[in-house]
mmCIF file of all heavy atoms in Angstrom:
data_model
loop_
_atom_site.group_PDB
_atom_site.id
_atom_site.type_symbol
_atom_site.label_atom_id
_atom_site.label_comp_id
_atom_site.label_asym_id
_atom_site.label_seq_id
_atom_site.Cartn_x
_atom_site.Cartn_y
_atom_site.Cartn_z
ATOM 1 N N VAL A 3 232.806 136.203 111.920
ATOM 2 C CA VAL A 3 232.700 135.332 110.754
ATOM 3 C C VAL A 3 231.274 134.806 110.679
ATOM 4 O O VAL A 3 230.550 134.766 111.681
ATOM 5 C CB VAL A 3 233.705 134.156 110.800
ATOM 6 C CG1 VAL A 3 235.133 134.660 110.806
ATOM 7 C CG2 VAL A 3 233.456 133.249 111.984
ATOM 8 N N TYR A 4 230.901 134.416 109.489
ATOM 9 C CA TYR A 4 229.550 133.926 109.226
ATOM 10 C C TYR A 4 229.660 132.489 108.742
ATOM 11 O O TYR A 4 230.221 132.220 107.688
ATOM 12 C CB TYR A 4 228.861 134.813 108.190
ATOM 13 C CG TYR A 4 228.723 136.234 108.684
ATOM 14 C CD1 TYR A 4 229.719 137.174 108.439
ATOM 15 C CD2 TYR A 4 227.622 136.610 109.435
ATOM 16 C CE1 TYR A 4 229.616 138.468 108.923
ATOM 17 C CE2 TYR A 4 227.507 137.905 109.921
ATOM 18 C CZ TYR A 4 228.503 138.827 109.661
ATOM 19 O OH TYR A 4 228.403 140.106 110.162
ATOM 20 N N VAL A 5 229.129 131.566 109.550
ATOM 21 C CA VAL A 5 229.248 130.143 109.276
ATOM 22 C C VAL A 5 227.930 129.633 108.672
ATOM 23 O O VAL A 5 226.885 129.708 109.313
ATOM 24 C CB VAL A 5 229.562 129.343 110.560
ATOM 25 C CG1 VAL A 5 229.729 127.870 110.244
ATOM 26 C CG2 VAL A 5 230.804 129.901 111.248
ATOM 27 N N PRO A 6 227.989 129.125 107.430
ATOM 28 C CA PRO A 6 226.771 128.580 106.819
ATOM 29 C C PRO A 6 226.451 127.207 107.404
ATOM 30 O O PRO A 6 227.346 126.386 107.622
ATOM 31 C CB PRO A 6 227.143 128.472 105.334
ATOM 32 C CG PRO A 6 228.630 128.309 105.326
ATOM 33 C CD PRO A 6 229.143 129.057 106.532
ATOM 34 N N LEU A 7 225.168 126.981 107.642
ATOM 35 C CA LEU A 7 224.693 125.688 108.148
ATOM 36 C C LEU A 7 223.346 125.377 107.510
ATOM 37 O O LEU A 7 222.811 126.155 106.728
ATOM 38 C CB LEU A 7 224.518 125.728 109.669
ATOM 39 C CG LEU A 7 225.765 125.847 110.540
ATOM 40 C CD1 LEU A 7 225.376 126.012 112.003
ATOM 41 C CD2 LEU A 7 226.673 124.640 110.376
ATOM 42 N N THR A 8 222.809 124.242 107.890
ATOM 43 C CA THR A 8 221.422 123.885 107.626
ATOM 44 C C THR A 8 220.736 123.844 108.994
ATOM 45 O O THR A 8 221.411 123.922 110.027
ATOM 46 C CB THR A 8 221.324 122.501 106.964
ATOM 47 O OG1 THR A 8 221.902 121.534 107.854
ATOM 48 C CG2 THR A 8 222.040 122.467 105.617
ATOM 49 N N LEU A 9 219.423 123.681 109.022
ATOM 50 C CA LEU A 9 218.750 123.590 110.323
ATOM 51 C C LEU A 9 219.202 122.345 111.085
ATOM 52 O O LEU A 9 219.373 122.399 112.306
ATOM 53 C CB LEU A 9 217.234 123.590 110.151
ATOM 54 C CG LEU A 9 216.606 124.970 110.023
ATOM 55 C CD1 LEU A 9 215.103 124.878 109.771
ATOM 56 C CD2 LEU A 9 216.878 125.838 111.233
ATOM 57 N N SER A 10 219.438 121.229 110.389
ATOM 58 C CA SER A 10 219.928 120.035 111.093
ATOM 59 C C SER A 10 221.352 120.264 111.603
ATOM 60 O O SER A 10 221.714 119.777 112.681
ATOM 61 C CB SER A 10 219.841 118.796 110.205
ATOM 62 O OG SER A 10 220.622 118.959 109.047
ATOM 63 N N GLY A 11 222.167 121.019 110.861
ATOM 64 C CA GLY A 11 223.506 121.372 111.335
ATOM 65 C C GLY A 11 223.448 122.268 112.558
ATOM 66 O O GLY A 11 224.262 122.136 113.479
ATOM 67 N N LEU A 12 222.471 123.178 112.575
ATOM 68 C CA LEU A 12 222.278 124.037 113.756
ATOM 69 C C LEU A 12 221.851 123.199 114.950
ATOM 70 O O LEU A 12 222.326 123.419 116.064
ATOM 71 C CB LEU A 12 221.248 125.123 113.448
ATOM 72 C CG LEU A 12 220.964 126.116 114.575
ATOM 73 C CD1 LEU A 12 222.219 126.913 114.935
ATOM 74 C CD2 LEU A 12 219.826 127.054 114.180
ATOM 75 N N ALA A 13 220.984 122.225 114.723
ATOM 76 C CA ALA A 13 220.552 121.336 115.811
ATOM 77 C C ALA A 13 221.728 120.544 116.364
ATOM 78 O O ALA A 13 221.883 120.420 117.593
ATOM 79 C CB ALA A 13 219.455 120.379 115.317
ATOM 80 N N ALA A 14 222.595 120.047 115.494
ATOM 81 C CA ALA A 14 223.780 119.297 115.932
ATOM 82 C C ALA A 14 224.718 120.206 116.727
ATOM 83 O O ALA A 14 225.270 119.800 117.751
ATOM 84 C CB ALA A 14 224.494 118.692 114.729
ATOM 85 N N ALA A 15 224.898 121.431 116.263
ATOM 86 C CA ALA A 15 225.753 122.390 116.977
ATOM 87 C C ALA A 15 225.165 122.705 118.345
ATOM 88 O O ALA A 15 225.897 122.806 119.338
ATOM 89 C CB ALA A 15 225.915 123.665 116.160
ATOM 90 N N HIS A 16 223.860 122.831 118.412
ATOM 91 C CA HIS A 16 223.205 123.115 119.692
ATOM 92 C C HIS A 16 223.410 121.964 120.676
ATOM 93 O O HIS A 16 223.722 122.191 121.851
ATOM 94 C CB HIS A 16 221.713 123.382 119.458
ATOM 95 C CG HIS A 16 220.981 123.777 120.690
ATOM 96 N ND1 HIS A 16 220.171 122.903 121.370
ATOM 97 C CD2 HIS A 16 220.955 124.955 121.372
ATOM 98 C CE1 HIS A 16 219.669 123.525 122.423
ATOM 99 N NE2 HIS A 16 220.118 124.758 122.442
ATOM 100 N N ARG A 17 223.252 120.728 120.188
ATOM 101 C CA ARG A 17 223.461 119.564 121.055
ATOM 102 C C ARG A 17 224.913 119.480 121.533
ATOM 103 O O ARG A 17 225.175 119.162 122.692
ATOM 104 C CB ARG A 17 223.094 118.270 120.318
ATOM 105 C CG ARG A 17 221.623 118.003 120.213
ATOM 106 C CD ARG A 17 221.331 116.588 119.698
ATOM 107 N NE ARG A 17 221.947 116.296 118.410
ATOM 108 C CZ ARG A 17 221.411 116.611 117.225
ATOM 109 N NH1 ARG A 17 220.244 117.227 117.160
ATOM 110 N NH2 ARG A 17 222.043 116.308 116.103
ATOM 111 N N ALA A 18 225.861 119.742 120.637
ATOM 112 C CA ALA A 18 227.285 119.625 120.952
ATOM 113 C C ALA A 18 227.832 120.838 121.701
ATOM 114 O O ALA A 18 228.890 120.763 122.325
ATOM 115 C CB ALA A 18 228.086 119.411 119.675
ATOM 116 N N GLY A 19 227.138 121.974 121.585
ATOM 117 C CA GLY A 19 227.636 123.195 122.195
ATOM 118 C C GLY A 19 228.720 123.873 121.372
ATOM 119 O O GLY A 19 229.348 124.830 121.825
ATOM 120 N N GLU A 20 228.937 123.361 120.148
ATOM 121 C CA GLU A 20 229.942 123.934 119.280
ATOM 122 C C GLU A 20 229.616 123.660 117.826
ATOM 123 O O GLU A 20 228.909 122.704 117.505
ATOM 124 C CB GLU A 20 231.344 123.403 119.615
ATOM 125 C CG GLU A 20 231.514 121.917 119.354
ATOM 126 C CD GLU A 20 232.890 121.394 119.768
ATOM 127 O OE1 GLU A 20 233.593 122.062 120.544
ATOM 128 O OE2 GLU A 20 233.237 120.299 119.311
ATOM 129 N N ILE A 21 230.140 124.529 116.969
ATOM 130 C CA ILE A 21 230.025 124.330 115.527
ATOM 131 C C ILE A 21 231.305 123.646 115.107
ATOM 132 O O ILE A 21 232.405 124.148 115.332
ATOM 133 C CB ILE A 21 229.869 125.677 114.789
ATOM 134 C CG1 ILE A 21 228.683 126.461 115.335
ATOM 135 C CG2 ILE A 21 229.714 125.431 113.295
ATOM 136 C CD1 ILE A 21 228.634 127.905 114.862
ATOM 137 N N GLY A 22 231.185 122.480 114.524
ATOM 138 C CA GLY A 22 232.378 121.739 114.153
ATOM 139 C C GLY A 22 232.007 120.401 113.580
ATOM 140 O O GLY A 22 230.835 120.142 113.323
ATOM 141 N N PRO A 23 232.945 119.558 113.380
ATOM 142 C CA PRO A 23 234.361 119.694 113.693
ATOM 143 C C PRO A 23 235.065 120.601 112.684
ATOM 144 O O PRO A 23 234.522 120.912 111.624
ATOM 145 C CB PRO A 23 234.889 118.261 113.572
ATOM 146 C CG PRO A 23 234.023 117.648 112.530
ATOM 147 C CD PRO A 23 232.656 118.270 112.729
ATOM 148 N N GLY A 24 236.273 120.992 113.034
ATOM 149 C CA GLY A 24 237.073 121.810 112.121
ATOM 150 C C GLY A 24 237.710 120.934 111.059
ATOM 151 O O GLY A 24 237.704 119.716 111.190
ATOM 152 N N PRO A 25 238.212 121.448 110.029
ATOM 153 C CA PRO A 25 238.172 122.876 109.696
ATOM 154 C C PRO A 25 236.795 123.289 109.192
ATOM 155 O O PRO A 25 236.094 122.519 108.539
ATOM 156 C CB PRO A 25 239.228 123.032 108.603
ATOM 157 C CG PRO A 25 239.285 121.690 107.950
ATOM 158 C CD PRO A 25 238.972 120.683 109.026
ATOM 159 N N LEU A 26 236.423 124.514 109.532
ATOM 160 C CA LEU A 26 235.139 125.077 109.127
ATOM 161 C C LEU A 26 235.347 126.067 107.995
ATOM 162 O O LEU A 26 236.333 126.806 107.980
ATOM 163 C CB LEU A 26 234.490 125.820 110.293
ATOM 164 C CG LEU A 26 234.149 125.030 111.541
ATOM 165 C CD1 LEU A 26 233.753 125.988 112.667
ATOM 166 C CD2 LEU A 26 233.023 124.065 111.256
ATOM 167 N N THR A 27 234.398 126.091 107.077
ATOM 168 C CA THR A 27 234.383 127.142 106.066
ATOM 169 C C THR A 27 233.413 128.200 106.545
ATOM 170 O O THR A 27 232.291 127.885 106.972
ATOM 171 C CB THR A 27 233.917 126.589 104.701
ATOM 172 O OG1 THR A 27 234.852 125.599 104.268
ATOM 173 C CG2 THR A 27 233.835 127.693 103.662
ATOM 174 N N ALA A 28 233.852 129.435 106.514
ATOM 175 C CA ALA A 28 233.020 130.561 106.946
ATOM 176 C C ALA A 28 233.284 131.720 105.989
ATOM 177 O O ALA A 28 234.094 131.610 105.062
ATOM 178 C CB ALA A 28 233.345 130.944 108.385
ATOM 179 N N TYR A 29 232.617 132.805 106.239
ATOM 180 C CA TYR A 29 232.768 134.007 105.406
ATOM 181 C C TYR A 29 232.981 135.194 106.314
ATOM 182 O O TYR A 29 232.393 135.269 107.393
ATOM 183 C CB TYR A 29 231.545 134.189 104.496
ATOM 184 C CG TYR A 29 231.471 133.069 103.495
ATOM 185 C CD1 TYR A 29 230.933 131.840 103.866
ATOM 186 C CD2 TYR A 29 232.020 133.208 102.238
ATOM 187 C CE1 TYR A 29 230.931 130.775 102.987
ATOM 188 C CE2 TYR A 29 232.021 132.142 101.353
ATOM 189 C CZ TYR A 29 231.478 130.933 101.732
ATOM 190 O OH TYR A 29 231.498 129.877 100.859
ATOM 191 N N ALA A 30 233.842 136.122 105.849
ATOM 192 C CA ALA A 30 234.187 137.290 106.661
ATOM 193 C C ALA A 30 234.578 138.432 105.735
ATOM 194 O O ALA A 30 234.681 138.257 104.509
ATOM 195 C CB ALA A 30 235.358 136.955 107.590
ATOM 196 N N VAL A 31 234.802 139.576 106.331
ATOM 197 C CA VAL A 31 235.266 140.732 105.562
ATOM 198 C C VAL A 31 236.763 140.546 105.354
ATOM 199 O O VAL A 31 237.564 140.785 106.250
ATOM 200 C CB VAL A 31 234.957 142.049 106.306
ATOM 201 C CG1 VAL A 31 235.499 143.225 105.517
ATOM 202 C CG2 VAL A 31 233.459 142.185 106.537
ATOM 203 N N THR A 32 237.110 140.065 104.162
ATOM 204 C CA THR A 32 238.501 139.842 103.785
ATOM 205 C C THR A 32 238.949 140.949 102.833
ATOM 206 O O THR A 32 238.099 141.679 102.285
ATOM 207 C CB THR A 32 238.649 138.487 103.060
ATOM 208 O OG1 THR A 32 237.874 138.538 101.855
ATOM 209 C CG2 THR A 32 238.198 137.333 103.940
ATOM 210 N N PRO A 33 240.253 141.091 102.622
ATOM 211 C CA PRO A 33 240.700 142.098 101.653
ATOM 212 C C PRO A 33 240.074 141.897 100.259
ATOM 213 O O PRO A 33 239.700 142.872 99.607
ATOM 214 C CB PRO A 33 242.221 141.903 101.613
ATOM 215 C CG PRO A 33 242.542 141.382 102.992
ATOM 216 C CD PRO A 33 241.373 140.492 103.342
ATOM 217 N N ALA A 34 239.937 140.652 99.827
ATOM 218 C CA ALA A 34 239.342 140.392 98.505
ATOM 219 C C ALA A 34 237.869 140.808 98.482
ATOM 220 O O ALA A 34 237.405 141.361 97.487
ATOM 221 C CB ALA A 34 239.473 138.915 98.156
#
Side-chain angles (χ1 to χ4, degrees):
V3 298
Y4 298 90
V5 182
L7 292 175
T8 60
L9 276 177
S10 60
L12 181 62
H16 184 257
R17 283 190 303 275
E20 65 184 17
I21 305 168
L26 298 170
T27 298
Y29 294 81
V31 178
T32 63

